[in-house]
Amino acid sequence: MAEHESLEYGKADFVLLDNVSMEEFMTNLKLRFEKGRIYTYIGEVVVSVNPYRAMNIYGRDIVEQYKGRELYERPPHLFAIADAAYKAMKRRNKDTCIVISGESGAGKTEASKYIMQYIAAITNPNQRAEVERVKNMLLKSNCVLEAFGNAKTNRNDNSSRFGKYMDINFDFKGDPIGGHISNYLLEKSRVIFQQEGERSFHSYYQLLRGAPDSLLRSLHIKKDPTAYNYIKVGGQIKSSINDGADFKAVADAMKVIGFTGDEIQTVYKILATILHLGNLTFGVDGDVTLIENTKLVSVIRELLSTKEENVEKALLYRTVATGRDVIEKQHTAQEASYGRDALAKAMYERLFCWIVGRINDIIEVKNYDARVHGKNTVIGVLDIYGFEIFQNNSFEQFCINYCNEKLQQLFIQLVLKQEQEEYQREGIPWKHIDYFNNQIIVDLVEQQHKGIFSVLDEACMNVGKVTDEVFLQGLNGKLAKHAHYTSRKLSPTDKSLEFDRDFRIRHYAGDVVYSVVGFIDKNKDTLFQDFKRLLYNSSNPVLKAMWPEGKLSITEVTKRPLTAATLFKNSMILLVENLACKEPYYVRCIKPNDVKSPLLFEQERCRHQVEYLGLLENVRVRRAGFAYRQTYPRFLQRYKMISEFTWPNHDLPSDKDAVKRLMQGCGFDHDVAYGKTKVFIRTPRTLFSLEEQRVEMVQRIVLFLQKVWRGTIARMRYRRMRAALVILRAYRRYKVKSYIREVNRRFKNVRSMKDYGKHVKWPTPPKVLRKFEEALRSIYNRWWAWTLIKGLSPEEALQVRAKVASLEALKGQRADLGLQRAWEGNYLVSMWDGNSADTAASFTLVSSELQRKDKFMRVLFSCNVRKINRFHKAEDRAVLITDRHLYKMDPLKQYKPMKSIPLYNVTGVSVSPGKDQLVVFHTKDSRDLVVCLQGMVPANESRIGELVGTLLSHFKSEKRKLQVNVVSPIQCSMSGRKCTVIVEPKINQSQPDFTKSRSGYILAVPGN
Ligand SMILES: Nc1ncnc2c1ncn2[C@@H]1O[C@H](COP(=O)(O)OP(=O)(O)O)[C@@H](O)[C@H]1O
Ligand SMILES: [Mg+2]
């Protein structure tokens, strides 16, 4: 159902074929292969065809395209499956596994690497160092495992010679936190022998071609692989593999993973030991078996850190315990060679398992507590050897093919059988689809007592001479009637089977003829105890630790070790159990040709694989079946937000009804079947669309929750603000009130105070009341002034007015306005200014005379003055200013009035800004009067302020204007002539006096 790819590339999902037939299947597969589309779905199974060329479809950009997407959103890809497995694990907290199957060279290992890469690329978005470290380990471990477990075969330059199942553990956030690798049945026969055109494990060639000379020298080996019997065949092969570079990469990887220097050295020593072992030859001298090239023994001794004689003895003798006696039995040359090969194989196998174990020690999840860190989930990736049919098939092929039968059985169980059974159980109408169930072949191999493994084990247990033929006879006896077993004895006409050597199994994947030669031996897998002790007693602790069973003394009765077949069977059963409890995802790999060609699509070859992988049945079941099923409650839990009937909770009688309602609402009813406990969805498109709607709704729900929460926060904040405001207001009111109260308190009794509260200190107002305080002060000041004025006599009132007028006119222009003293005004009337009683009396007399004559109401001012006369002479005079006239008088003649100026003639007065008492009265007729007040007591009293103020006040009361100038020099007119009066301080001047100057007059005042 994959979209986004046009039909010219064929159908992206085999489920979409018009007719499910082998022809159409093959046509589509071929078309897609030729168009460079190597992946095709069958529902959720990926069918992959090995492209045998670099494909530009695994980059970062492609990873991004698949990340977090649903399976059907993008063209088929391994990444989509990896993502689906990852999503299932994350969404549903389920352990998942990806099972990669296919024959050797079909692309399983490559696929598993791309899957790992993808998982590494999409996890750990926060770049946590610990997770990065784990990911790095997981990826690096692959490189080491391939060096020791892979080899070039005729089918595949990098063929895995072991089965691998890797668990990756994830924390609740979906980041990898560790892993575990299980390895299965290493093809150890390769250590001593390879077919024409094949090589031993990469590790040897890497060591010889990549190791520095110093290392090679210390191992006593030379660069040339053909010098070593065990790898000679492969040493002659030219290949594209760069062993030298790989050596360094592997050494680095081992270091990164955490192998110690000693460990790495031991690994090299073991490889070198095996190479040397292969070159050992045995001879016979009389009845003594001996080692022909004894020099090698001391090299081996050195590499194994043991005693030389021990090495030799272990190679030539075998210790046997009979009852209480321990005897040493010498090997024949043939037995010695057998023992040597067994040692080489066992050492290599042990080394490989030890490497896997070390990697596991390091990558295993540590310090994880599910209660603290949440559930730890797993994705398993199984990359195991595919079905093999060789020219000559032996015990290994038998095991490998049995393994594939087991996996096929699992596939059938999970995908075909279980599915159909589930439909029946759920009461979904279903037409049974036929498929070949290979359980019968699995049973043929592993059944207790009757199975081939049982027969083999029985044969091995027989005492006395046990041969492979005896085993074959046993098979023929027990399995004669089995439909999938035959041999020459059972079908004598079949010339393809050799008498007493071959048997044939009809595997689900095809017929395979096995030769029994070596079965017994390989099953017993004996390594003489002496070797185990030899290695255990090594002084190299790493090597010693690999051989713990060497600790047992010779006489200790040991249980017969489990046979290779039983061990393998047990490991397979465990593996299948492990896989069966996980949610499986499948990658089915197909090998398009035998010649590693990117162009060749061998029809027959591929058809055969499609057949034995059961892909057609897979399509049929898939088409007839349902892509997705889920129990009603869980389905609702996931999708209930899509429908108004189910969100947030439904009120229908059952979850089933609710799901029905939801599906009807979405218009998916036609694509859905309702089972007893589960809902079944036929096409992934529907599921996809449900997911889409869910995502959309979840966003809205999240928005809604955000909205509610934001509202709550805002309301909380508002309430707090309101409260603060209330507090603020109360506080302000309190401040204002207490201020007012305080003002009230302080000013309460001002009326009765002497100064009417002038001395009272104003309290500091709160900020808001500053304006108010100003106003209040001004009200108070007015009140205070009014209260003062209210109590004044008319005389006093006049004086106050005069002072105010003086202040207004002169303030800031003249110092000492005399405001602080009482203004007497009429200074000549009494004995002010040193007047005698007589002079005062004469003045009073004159004054009364004038009052009578001129009818004035009031004397404004009187004082002695110095005056300029018409002839520019200064003379002593007195002035009397009434409300009508200004009189000049002669003090020397009892104040005889001399001349008067009507006040209405006076237009202004000028005074100087100095301390002098100069006054110029300006008149309308330009006959200004220039005088200087004098004779004051005290002498320095200034009366200018008083004079100006009194005049101004009087003029104001008559609503007339009086011009007051404060200037120096003063401009004036004397009898119509303009002149200036300048004030000049003079030393030695005792009294102020006038003198003539060019432009007028100078008032000389005492100066210093
Ligand atoms: N996806 C792929 N892209 C390119 N080449 C591939 C791909 N898959 C496999 N191959 C080629 O096929 C060879 C064998 O693949 P491999 O995965 O080792 O097979 P298997 O593990 O099934 O035996 C690889 O070495 C590589 O050259
Ligand atoms: Mg492989």
Side-chain angles (χ1 to χ4, degrees):
M1 308 267 165
E3 287 168 319
H4 310 295
E5 248 189 348
S6 97
L7 273 183
E8 71 173 293
Y9 301 115
K11 298 197 163 131
D13 193 325
F14 287 110
V15 172
L16 298 174
L17 291 180
D18 296 326
N19 294 302
V20 185
S21 66
M22 185 53 91
E23 275 82 296
E24 276 200 32
F25 192 102
M26 292 307 296
T27 312
N28 194 46
L29 191 67
K30 181 161 189 260
L31 175 65
R32 286 184 65 75
F33 175 74
E34 284 164 357
K35 296 274 184 186
R37 298 297 185 272
I38 61 170
Y39 300 120
T40 313
Y41 290 141
I42 303 176
E44 287 179 358
V45 173
V46 175
V47 178
S48 156
V49 185
N50 189 343
Y52 281 122
R53 66 190 161 95
M55 304 287 290
N56 192 18
I57 52 169
Y58 304 108
R60 190 74 236 189
D61 48 333
I62 309 283
V63 168
E64 287 302 324
Q65 285 177 21
Y66 282 86
K67 189 172 160 185
R69 298 297 195 95
E70 297 300 326
L71 200 59
Y72 309 99
E73 269 187 278
R74 314 279 325 156
H77 201 294
L78 279 176
F79 290 172
I81 277 288
D83 204 86
Y86 182 69
K87 258 200 313 268
M89 179 201 75
K90 239 180 128 171
R91 271 188 196 156
R92 284 177 269 136
N93 234 334
K94 278 201 122 178
D95 289 347
T96 58
C97 64
I98 301 173
V99 178
I100 309 169
S101 53
E103 60 186 65
S104 178
K108 299 182 295 294
T109 304
E110 293 294 313
S112 79
K113 284 192 267 190
Y114 289 128
I115 287 168
M116 294 284 297
Q117 253 173 44
Y118 180 79
I119 290 173
I122 60 164
T123 51
N124 199 22
N126 302 330
Q127 296 284 304
R128 282 193 295 140
E130 171 56 19
V131 177
E132 284 303 301
R133 193 187 69 85
V134 169
K135 283 194 326 196
N136 196 23
M137 299 275 172
L138 293 175
L139 293 177
K140 281 266 157 53
S141 68
N142 217 26
C143 162
V144 178
L145 289 182
E146 286 198 0
F148 290 89
N150 287 22
K152 177 185 160 56
T153 68
N154 289 321
R155 289 174 165 68
N156 182 351
D157 283 353
N158 183 34
S159 181
S160 325
R161 305 321 295 166
F162 68 106
K164 186 175 93 176
Y165 173 73
M166 181 163 187
D167 266 336
I168 311 167
N169 299 74
F170 295 84
D171 63 8
F172 70 100
K173 290 198 298 303
D175 286 334
I177 49 169
H180 183 88
I181 297 167
S182 308
N183 58 310
Y184 300 98
L185 191 70
L186 180 75
E187 186 200 36
K188 62 178 172 180
S189 60
R190 189 168 293 273
V191 174
I192 57 164
F193 174 78
Q194 302 98 42
Q195 308 260 354
E196 198 66 36
E198 301 199 346
R199 303 204 314 182
S200 185
F201 296 99
H202 296 323
S203 52
Y204 290 109
Y205 309 95
Q206 288 175 1
L207 180 66
L208 297 198
R209 298 213 169 102
D213 290 339
S214 56
L215 175 59
L216 291 180
R217 230 175 296 125
S218 75
L219 300 174
H220 305 283
I221 49 179
K222 39 185 172 181
K223 278 186 174 309
D224 179 16
T226 56
Y228 300 98
N229 291 332
Y230 280 163
I231 62 168
K232 204 179 205 160
V233 179
Q236 294 153 349
I237 295 171
K238 290 266 172 299
S239 82
S240 58
I241 303 168
N242 187 345
D243 292 303
D246 289 348
F247 175 81
K248 286 185 188 67
V250 173
D252 281 348
M254 285 203 280
K255 230 180 275 161
V256 169
I257 292 170
F259 284 74
T260 65
D262 281 347
E263 286 173 338
I264 296 175
Q265 283 306 314
T266 305
V267 169
Y268 296 143
K269 283 181 185 167
I270 291 172
L271 292 179
T273 303
I274 294 172
L275 290 179
H276 291 307
L277 276 176
N279 286 358
L280 275 183
T281 49
F282 300 96
V284 188
D285 184 4
D287 54 0
V288 178
T289 312
L290 44 79
I291 297 168
E292 287 171 342
N293 34 9
T294 45
K295 248 209 235 135
L296 281 181
V297 176
S298 62
V299 171
I300 290 170
R301 178 208 67 77
E302 184 192 325
L303 293 173
L304 295 181
S305 311
T306 57
K307 296 205 187 84
E308 192 160 337
E309 60 271 27
N310 289 358
V311 175
E312 198 171 325
K313 209 161 147 211
L315 284 163
L316 295 177
Y317 294 88
R318 156 169 196 222
T319 317
V320 193
T322 54
R324 245 172 287 131
D325 299 328
V326 175
I327 51 165
E328 263 157 22
K329 196 166 160 257
Q330 188 181 237
H331 288 314
T332 62
Q334 196 194 359
E335 281 169 341
S337 303
Y338 174 85
R340 173 201 62 199
D341 289 351
L343 175 62
K345 287 191 284 189
M347 279 181 78
Y348 195 83
E349 188 184 40
R350 204 47 79 94
L351 172 66
F352 185 71
C353 292
W354 175 83
I355 289 173
V356 173
R358 283 292 290 130
I359 293 175
N360 280 336
D361 287 345
I362 290 157
I363 63 176
E364 107 187 312
V365 179
K366 292 172 197 90
N367 306 327
Y368 195 93
D369 183 349
R371 279 170 309 179
V372 180
H373 301 104
K375 195 178 172 216
N376 155 354
T377 42
V378 165
I379 295 182
V381 180
L382 179 69
D383 165 22
I384 207 157
Y385 14 64
F387 200 77
E388 283 184 351
I389 313 172
F390 292 162
Q391 215 49 41
N392 177 21
N393 301 296
S394 180
F395 182 71
E396 287 86 356
Q397 280 67 48
F398 184 74
C399 286
I400 286 172
N401 292 343
Y402 157 68
C403 160
N404 281 277
E405 293 283 359
K406 284 291 277 186
L407 292 177
Q408 175 68 8
Q409 178 60 209
L410 181 72
F411 179 74
I412 286 172
Q413 291 224 326
L414 293 176
V415 178
L416 306 177
K417 188 152 160 266
Q418 266 181 19
E419 177 133 351
Q420 303 204 38
E421 281 173 3
E422 178 160 41
Y423 296 146
Q424 269 167 20
R425 211 171 37 244
E426 287 285 330
I428 304 281
W430 178 256
K431 192 169 148 283
H432 188 81
I433 306 252
D434 263 342
Y435 58 87
F436 172 69
N437 189 340
N438 72 337
Q439 183 63 45
I440 185 167
I441 307 169
V442 173
D443 288 345
L444 169 67
V445 180
E446 70 173 22
Q447 220 174 21
Q448 293 278 317
H449 309 303
K450 283 191 281 183
I452 295 175
F453 278 156
S454 275
V455 176
L456 181 59
D457 280 358
E458 261 172 46
C460 289
M461 276 201 297
N462 283 342
V463 275
K465 184 98 178 111
V466 185
T467 61
D468 294 323
E469 289 83 55
V470 172
F471 161 57
L472 186 58
Q473 281 158 25
L475 287 183
N476 287 339
K478 287 230 162 124
L479 301 169
K481 297 223 168 64
H482 201 287
H484 292 264
Y485 174 87
T486 190
S487 66
R488 187 67 183 269
K489 184 159 177 239
L490 300 176
S491 37
T493 52
D494 192 338
K495 296 249 167 57
S496 65
L497 297 170
E498 190 76 29
F499 271 117
D500 290 335
R501 194 194 75 189
D502 296 343
F503 67 92
R504 182 167 57 217
I505 304 277
R506 180 173 300 158
H507 282 288
Y508 80 98
D511 292 355
V512 182
V513 176
Y514 297 96
S515 149
V516 292
V517 177
F519 263 62
I520 295 283
D521 229 25
K522 285 172 180 168
N523 191 38
K524 272 186 174 165
D525 194 22
T526 36
L527 177 70
F528 301 133
Q529 292 283 333
D530 306 70
F531 288 126
K532 297 178 187 172
R533 274 191 289 274
L534 174 75
L535 296 170
Y536 175 76
N537 287 319
S538 161
S539 59
N540 177 345
V542 182
L543 185 62
K544 185 185 177 87
M546 286 186 206
W547 292 94
E549 68 267 56
K551 195 172 161 189
L552 296 174
S553 84
I554 309 157
T555 46
E556 264 177 275
V557 184
T558 53
K559 243 174 83 184
R560 190 189 288 266
L562 290 177
T563 61
T566 304
L567 285 173
F568 188 70
K569 185 179 83 178
N570 291 347
S571 71
M572 280 303 118
I573 290 171
L574 264 180
L575 171 66
V576 167
E577 272 172 10
N578 186 4
L579 294 177
C581 67
K582 297 189 162 73
E583 190 169 305
Y585 291 83
Y586 284 95
V587 180
R588 311 291 252 167
C589 297
I590 289 177
K591 184 175 172 177
N593 60 65
D594 269 329
V595 290
K596 300 169 191 164
S597 156
L599 302 171
L600 207 57
F601 186 88
E602 285 174 13
Q603 191 80 17
E604 239 344 273
R605 234 193 159 284
C606 297
R607 198 192 59 76
H608 179 76
Q609 292 171 72
V610 169
E611 216 165 54
Y612 78 65
L613 287 172
L615 298 186
L616 225 51
E617 286 103 320
N618 194 180
V619 177
R620 286 206 185 96
V621 172
R622 187 80 209 175
R623 262 164 70 113
F626 297 87
Y628 177 81
R629 70 226 49 200
Q630 188 54 271
T631 55
Y632 293 116
R634 288 209 63 156
F635 183 86
L636 275 182
Q637 195 191 337
R638 187 156 185 87
Y639 298 111
K640 62 180 179 176
M641 67 290 292
I642 293 174
S643 163
E644 57 193 325
F645 294 109
T646 49
W647 177 260
N649 290 303
H650 68 83
D651 52 4
L652 294 155
S654 70
D655 283 353
K656 183 172 175 176
D657 293 313
V659 171
K660 269 189 186 164
R661 200 52 169 279
L662 191 155
M663 287 300 196
Q664 279 159 7
C666 295
F668 293 146
D669 221 18
H670 63 279
D671 201 33
V672 175
Y674 303 99
K676 286 182 186 130
T677 64
K678 288 180 179 175
V679 57
F680 291 78
I681 298 175
R682 197 173 300 275
T683 59
R685 194 187 303 271
T686 299
L687 187 68
F688 176 42
S689 151
L690 280 170
E691 269 302 315
E692 247 179 3
Q693 291 187 37
R694 178 180 182 274
V695 167
E696 200 179 295
M697 288 310 294
V698 166
Q699 275 171 1
R700 280 162 62 177
I701 291 169
V702 168
L703 267 177
F704 174 74
L705 290 176
Q706 279 179 345
K707 194 175 79 184
V708 172
W709 178 235
R710 287 212 179 108
T712 306
I713 290 178
R715 270 188 291 278
M716 265 156 53
R717 208 175 290 151
Y718 172 71
R719 246 177 272 133
R720 217 176 301 139
M721 227 153 73
R722 276 280 299 269
L725 227 60
V726 168
I727 293 169
L728 216 73
R729 215 179 291 142
Y731 180 69
R732 194 183 291 167
R733 208 178 308 131
Y734 154 77
K735 285 292 263 189
V736 168
K737 270 190 174 164
S738 55
Y739 170 74
I740 303 255
R741 225 176 278 135
E742 183 61 16
V743 171
N744 243 334
R745 191 182 65 73
R746 291 189 189 185
F747 286 83
K748 199 166 186 174
N749 300 315
V750 286
R751 237 179 267 275
S752 54
M753 287 178 193
K754 243 214 239 122
D755 64 352
Y756 300 117
K758 219 17 178 188
H759 75 282
V760 173
K761 202 172 171 295
W762 285 77
T764 321
K767 216 167 170 183
V768 283
L769 291 184
R770 284 204 191 139
K771 276 259 154 58
F772 173 76
E773 191 212 20
E774 271 171 35
L776 207 57
R777 273 181 192 253
S778 111
I779 290 172
Y780 168 77
N781 286 338
R782 276 159 176 278
W783 173 83
W784 178 80
W786 178 78
T787 314
L788 276 188
I789 290 166
K790 196 177 62 173
L792 294 180
S793 63
E795 284 300 310
E796 284 167 332
L798 277 175
Q799 208 181 106
V800 168
R801 283 215 182 92
K803 281 185 178 173
V804 170
S806 168
L807 195 66
E808 282 173 353
L810 302 178
K811 188 179 178 189
Q813 306 195 65
R814 260 192 84 97
D816 189 15
L817 300 182
L819 297 173
Q820 304 306 321
R821 61 181 175 82
W823 286 359
E824 293 300 329
N826 199 357
Y827 286 98
L828 297 179
V829 79
S830 54
M831 286 181 298
W832 301 98
D833 294 2
N835 280 358
S836 64
D838 282 355
T839 54
S842 8
F843 177 78
T844 310
L845 198 68
V846 173
S847 174
S848 316
E849 195 70 14
L850 286 173
Q851 184 166 34
R852 218 175 331 112
K853 193 173 119 237
D854 289 341
K855 308 241 177 347
F856 65 82
M857 304 286 288
R858 190 160 72 90
V859 174
L860 300 182
F861 189 78
S862 68
C863 184
N864 291 315
V865 302
R866 188 84 175 155
K867 168 187 172 280
I868 302 282
N869 70 11
R870 266 176 296 164
F871 313 105
H872 316 301
K873 281 272 176 34
E875 23 184 40
D876 287 328
R877 289 290 184 260
V879 290
L880 167 66
I881 305 172
T882 68
D883 53 357
R884 306 201 58 173
H885 291 90
L886 189 164
Y887 301 97
K888 282 175 278 181
M889 298 168 156
D890 188 348
L892 299 176
K893 294 180 178 166
Q894 285 84 39
Y895 296 100
K896 182 183 154 211
M898 297 183 63
K899 206 173 167 195
S900 67
I901 304 167
L903 267 194
Y904 59 77
N905 238 353
V906 176
T907 55
V909 289
S910 291
V911 296
S912 88
K915 281 183 179 162
D916 57 89
Q917 301 293 300
L918 175 68
V919 186
V920 177
F921 297 90
H922 301 286
T923 60
K924 277 185 190 155
D925 54 6
S926 305
R927 288 170 184 277
D928 297 351
L929 176 63
V930 180
V931 298
C932 176
L933 305 186
Q934 65 174 7
M936 282 82 81
V937 176
N940 61 351
E941 183 170 289
S942 174
R943 290 197 183 139
I944 295 297
E946 180 176 355
L947 174 56
V948 171
T950 309
L951 274 177
L952 272 173
S953 168
H954 173 70
F955 271 65
K956 199 174 167 194
S957 70
E958 296 201 333
K959 306 217 170 20
R960 282 175 51 203
K961 278 202 64 150
L962 180 74
Q963 181 71 42
V964 177
N965 304 314
V966 185
V967 290
S968 180
I970 297 173
Q971 305 291 332
C972 59
S973 308
M974 297 284 280
S975 323
R977 207 166 43 83
K978 298 249 181 253
C979 58
T980 58
V981 185
I982 301 169
V983 179
E984 264 182 28
K986 273 218 174 83
I987 302 165
N988 299 332
Q989 181 81 24
S990 59
Q991 293 288 322
D993 204 356
F994 293 102
T995 53
K996 178 81 181 79
S997 80
R998 209 151 44 84
S999 59
Y1001 307 98
I1002 296 165
L1003 175 62
V1005 293
N1008 35 21

